Each structure stands twice: as structure tokens, then as C-alpha cells.
Amino acid sequence: MTTRRNLLKFSALAAAASALPSFAFADEKGKPVGKAAKPLNILILGGTGFTGPFQVAYALARGHKVTIFNRGKKPSPEWPGHVEQLFGDRNTGDLKSLQGRKWDVCIDNPTSLPFWVRDAGKVLAGNVGQYLFISTISVYADGSKASIGEDDALSVYKGKDAMAETQESLRADIENLYGPLKALSEAEAHKQFGKRVTIVRPGYIVGPRDETDRFTYWPHRVAQGGEMLVPGDGLDPVQIIDGRDLGEWMVRLAEQGTIGTFNAVGPRNPLTMDAMLRTCAKVTGGKPTYTHVTPEFLEAQKVQELPIWVSRKSGDFAGYGAVSNARAIDAGLTYRPLETTVTDLMAWFRSQPAERQATLKAGLTREQEADLLKKWHAQKTA
């Protein structure tokens, strides 16, 4: 692919709001974002997915210079300022547009494969001052324990050659490969970029622009009202982080030159399943009646997953609702109120085309839910 550099200039904030909600340019308390003490030259690998646009918008608002690198498959949102777009393809090793350039910071958003980090290191090592990598809490070897900390053991890759793994092989066995390959990607980051590495491990990322519908399922379902199936006893802890809080905090980590490894999970204080649903009801105006069903019933009915929720009592991922975020909070991670996240998420979702809203990508259909509730009540009666 021939190297191309386009300087994209967008100056109208109103136009930007159509792609990036205007609330992306305020802090977690709604206050206007101020300028950073020192402007940085930031390279973002990706930049047009979920968290990337919020990183770009926040970095621009803070007065930084931003370059994004990707395949150009997704149209770039209309930024409120200047963004340099570089094209290439990490799958094929086409990183020519990055050669001979220097940046203060590189933020790597989309990497799940170690060879992507290796190849980036060959071009960027020595040419970036700090490398920030978005990883995942799935790297931990034991997801069943509560209060998982950053120093806990990581998953071990059991394949033949991690550097030979591709997006296709990852998708074919994502349950067994995702965590170990992310862990090896972290290790490769340290190998390529030395001590100037920051590893950020989020759990569920939610909010506007979330195309997975994993969290969206809950406020969407609450808004519909009626009898609603709720897994567990309502006391299972839930951890989520607004994509804006994650993206903006990473820019601040870059500004401060913060290195280390951090669990980027929220909210700040424990949140239960029932408390999350009450907030959804408060925001959406929905008036459902909640029917709690046991994890054992769901397992017997072969319900493989209800998004966001995990039972705190058993299972390989029982600790995913209670991962320690103390280190991240000490490093300046802040959180919008859950009400704000739900409000903005639903405003974004309802702005999508009708066919997009018609079928969610996660959770139960109303027919599946009705069938499960019928079986639950019949079992209780019997």
C-alpha cells in the first residue's frame, strides 16, 4: 500500500457533535476541559473504534497534536480540530507510514496479537517516549478470586507459536486464546519499549458508541417494563467503565508520564446488580417487576451468558465483578455518575437507525426471556 498522509481539518463543533457527543469534551463533572500544561505529540493506533474517538477528542481539547494510524476502513469522526491520518495494515506488516517519525506518546488500542506489538516496536521503539497499551482483565490466570490485583499471575499461552497467531485463529478459539495472547502482548510491549510502558486492563467498557450491546441490554430491557428476568439474587457485584472515562484517563496518564500496570474497572465504589437496574429504571422511566432466578437454573437451561453479570459464588469468572481498582484510582482514574453513562448511552442508541435498534447483539430476546420465566415459575410451583 502506498503511504499516504492526509491532514484532516474539521473546525465546526456542531458538526463534530453528530459523530462525537458534545459531552465528550467535558470532564466527569461536566466542567469544560482545560489545556494541558505541556502539549504532546500523540500517536493513536486505531482511533476510530469505541474508545479511540474519545481519546482523540479529549487530547485535542487538552491542546495536544494527534495522529491516528489505521486501515482507513471506518470513516473518521469529524474531529473538533486537526487530526493527521496515516494509513497502513498491521495484519500485513504495512507500517511504512510510521517510519522516520517521532511522537511523545503512542496509545495502542486494538492489539490482541503479540506480533502486532513486535512489528510496531520495530518501527516505533526509540521514536516514542511512552507506549500505552489497552489490555484486559482477561489476562489473569484465576478469574474466580475476588479483589484481583495487578500483580496476580497471568494466563499462560499453551499453543505452538504465539507470534503465528492471527485474527482468524483468535476468533476460532477466543475463549482459550484471548487472555493468554493479551498477556503475551503486554510482555512484548515491555520487550520492545522497555521501561516506558503503561498497561491498562479494563473490564467491560460501556457507554455511547458501544456496538456490543452488552451493557445496553439492561437499560433497554428495563425501559420496556413488564416482568423481567434478573440473574442471581441481585447482590452480585458489577464492574463497568464508561469509554470516555477510560479514554480520557489514558490521555492524562500520558500527560503525567505515568508508567505501570492498572486495572481500569469501575465504578469507584461497589455496585450490585440490583442497584445497577434501579439506576437504569430511574434514568429510563421503566417500571419492570424483577424476578430473580438462580445461577443453577440458568445453567440447567443452558443459558450461556447474560451480559455484564457474573455470579460471585462460583465459576471461573466469579471475581470479575470485584477486581481491585485501587491502583488506578491512585493514578487519577475518575468516573462519571452511572446515571450520566446510562442517559448518554440511551440517547446515542436511540439515535441509531431503527433496524439497528430492533435486534440487540447481546442478552435475551423477549421470547427467550418469557420462556425462561415460564419454566422458572413452573419449577417453583412444582
Side-chain angles (χ1 to χ4, degrees):
M1 179 184 297
T2 302
T3 300
R4 292 179 294 161
R5 291 178 182 171
N6 292 338
L7 189 63
L8 307 180
K9 180 179 180 181
F10 301 96
S11 59
L13 186 59
S18 65
L20 280 174
S22 59
F23 41 75
F25 312 115
D27 67 14
E28 75 282 355
K29 296 181 180 179
K31 296 180 180 179
V33 172
K35 298 296 183 183
K38 177 184 177 181
L40 299 173
N41 189 7
I42 300 176
L43 169 66
I44 298 179
L45 304 181
T48 58
F50 183 6
T51 58
F54 295 124
Q55 291 168 348
V56 174
Y58 187 75
L60 291 174
R62 294 284 284 165
H64 303 304
K65 180 180 178 182
V66 178
T67 302
I68 60 174
F69 170 88
N70 52 54
R71 294 178 298 168
K73 298 294 185 180
K74 293 182 179 179
S76 297
E78 296 183 3
W79 312 114
H82 302 267
V83 176
E84 183 182 17
Q85 167 78 70
L86 302 181
F87 297 95
D89 190 339
R90 299 173 77 179
N91 270 325
T92 64
D94 177 15
L95 304 176
K96 292 189 293 292
S97 63
L98 298 176
Q99 292 176 351
R101 299 286 302 274
K102 289 184 178 292
W103 290 272
D104 298 310
V105 176
C106 172
I107 299 177
D108 191 345
N109 287 325
T111 295
S112 297
L113 299 169
F115 86 86
W116 281 21
V117 182
R118 178 200 64 195
D119 292 354
K122 290 179 179 179
V123 177
L124 296 174
N127 291 322
V128 294
Q130 183 181 2
Y131 177 83
L132 291 90
F133 179 71
I134 291 190
S135 187
T136 170
I137 61 171
S138 295
V139 297
Y140 293 111
D142 184 3
S144 67
K145 58 175 286 189
S147 299
I148 296 172
E150 289 86 350
D151 299 325
D152 284 353
L154 304 185
S155 298
V156 176
Y157 174 72
K158 299 179 181 179
K160 294 181 179 180
D161 184 359
M163 288 297 177
E165 298 287 358
T166 64
Q167 287 183 309
E168 290 72 24
S169 65
L170 173 59
R171 283 193 290 264
D173 192 17
I174 195 164
E175 183 175 351
N176 294 310
L177 288 179
Y178 180 64
L181 290 180
K182 274 285 197 179
L184 287 177
S185 296
E186 292 183 7
E188 189 66 21
H190 287 289
K191 178 180 178 181
Q192 296 293 333
F193 296 94
K195 296 180 179 179
R196 302 300 299 169
V197 171
T198 306
I199 304 294
V200 175
R201 296 171 178 162
Y204 288 111
I205 307 172
V206 306
R209 299 182 63 88
D210 178 11
E211 294 288 352
T212 70
D213 293 341
R214 292 178 301 189
F215 179 74
T216 308
Y217 170 76
W218 295 108
H220 181 269
R221 176 62 190 89
V222 166
Q224 294 175 328
E227 185 183 12
M228 178 177 171
L229 184 147
V230 179
D233 60 4
L235 299 179
D236 291 312
V238 176
Q239 285 187 313
I240 55 177
I241 185 167
D242 192 302
R244 295 164 293 178
D245 293 331
L246 174 63
E248 295 169 10
W249 178 57
M250 292 189 70
V251 173
R252 295 197 298 274
L253 289 175
E255 293 173 353
Q256 297 154 9
T258 303
I259 60 174
T261 301
F262 305 93
N263 291 330
V265 295
R268 184 183 185 93
N269 300 311
L271 174 71
T272 65
M273 188 70 184
D274 273 3
M276 183 188 80
L277 295 176
R278 286 195 296 269
T279 299
C280 292
K282 177 182 177 182
V283 170
T284 65
K287 300 184 183 301
T289 58
Y290 303 121
T291 298
H292 293 87
V293 304
T294 65
E296 294 77 14
F297 170 79
L298 294 171
E299 183 177 359
Q301 297 300 319
K302 295 182 171 48
V303 178
Q304 295 185 345
E305 179 185 12
L306 277 166
I308 303 296
W309 168 81
V310 291
S311 172
R312 70 189 184 281
K313 297 179 180 179
S314 63
D316 293 340
F317 310 110
Y320 273 18
V323 174
S324 173
N325 57 9
R327 186 184 293 183
I329 291 172
D330 287 344
L333 178 57
T334 56
Y335 306 95
R336 285 168 171 77
L338 180 58
E339 291 89 342
T340 301
T341 297
V342 175
T343 298
D344 297 341
L345 167 63
M346 294 309 292
W348 169 82
F349 184 74
R350 288 166 178 161
S351 73
Q352 302 305 296
E355 58 272 18
R356 167 69 179 88
Q357 299 183 53
T359 304
L360 271 69
K361 301 174 184 177
L364 303 171
T365 66
R366 293 301 298 272
E367 292 75 18
Q368 290 171 328
E369 181 187 38
D371 181 61
L372 288 169
L373 287 170
K374 181 179 179 181
K375 291 177 179 177
W376 171 256
H377 290 306
Q379 174 182 294
K380 296 277 287 186
T381 302

